[in-house]
Amino acid sequence: MNTYNPAVRIGNWNEDVSLSEDLLKDFLAKKERGELLIQKTSYLKKNLLQKVNLSVSNDGFVHFGDTIMLVNPGNEKVHLDSTDPPHGPLSLAINPEESKVHTCSSIEAPCGISAIQNLEPSVRNTFVITSCIWQVIIRHF
């Protein structure tokens, strides 16, 4: 006589069912609140790559409050005496800390910077010129 078949439940089956239901409820609640890691990463990436308008200078100078982008035009021609490999134009960009990317909704200074090949002005590779004195005064209030 065979007493076991696939319909027979063994072990702590009730706890296993409850645990899987709780995991599913927790997942759905986090999804509704936008707390899933994939949602945070997508939100941050969308915000970092959002297009920005650069400031236009009428007098040829940079002023406080201007939105600028710093670009290295590159060295596409190879010189025989140079040890640097040729590269195209690069723009300066922020590198948010990976540990803070998934917990914060915005990037906080200070953060790392690097050069990227993207030359389209975006939140990641544009900067606003501010006065250091002004920032110190604001932080004390």
Side-chain angles (χ1 to χ4, degrees):
M1 178 184 222
N2 191 1
T3 58
Y4 178 78
N5 65 41
V8 174
R9 297 181 183 208
I10 58 173
N12 293 333
W13 63 270
N14 192 27
E15 290 179 21
D16 293 340
V17 169
S18 295
L19 180 62
S20 64
E21 288 175 355
D22 289 343
L23 286 172
L24 181 61
K25 287 178 186 176
D26 185 44
F27 171 80
L28 293 174
K30 284 184 177 181
K31 184 179 177 186
E32 286 293 321
R33 293 189 304 260
E35 295 176 355
L36 294 176
L37 185 61
I38 190 73
Q39 290 173 315
K40 290 180 181 180
T41 304
S42 174
Y43 176 75
L44 185 66
K45 189 174 181 181
K46 182 180 83 171
N47 286 341
L48 284 177
L49 298 178
Q50 186 178 21
K51 292 188 178 191
V52 172
N53 293 326
L54 298 175
S55 299
V56 178
S57 176
N58 295 329
D59 59 3
F61 295 104
V62 177
H63 303 279
F64 291 124
D66 284 354
T67 303
I68 64 162
M69 187 169 88
L70 299 174
V71 176
N72 178 343
N75 64 345
E76 295 184 10
K77 295 183 180 178
V78 179
H79 299 286
L80 295 177
D81 59 344
S82 175
T83 58
D84 296 330
H87 61 83
L90 301 170
S91 66
L92 190 68
I94 62 169
N95 283 340
E97 287 186 41
E98 192 169 341
S99 61
K100 293 183 179 179
V101 166
H102 306 298
T103 58
C104 298
S105 59
S106 63
I107 304 300
E108 297 175 3
C111 63
I113 57 171
S114 66
I116 60 172
Q117 294 178 346
N118 183 8
L119 297 179
E120 294 293 323
S122 65
V123 171
R124 183 177 179 207
N125 64 355
T126 56
F127 302 90
V128 177
I129 304 298
T130 60
S131 170
C132 292
I133 297 170
W134 181 74
Q135 287 180 349
V136 171
I137 291 171
I138 294 298
R139 287 183 186 159
H140 286 287
F141 286 105

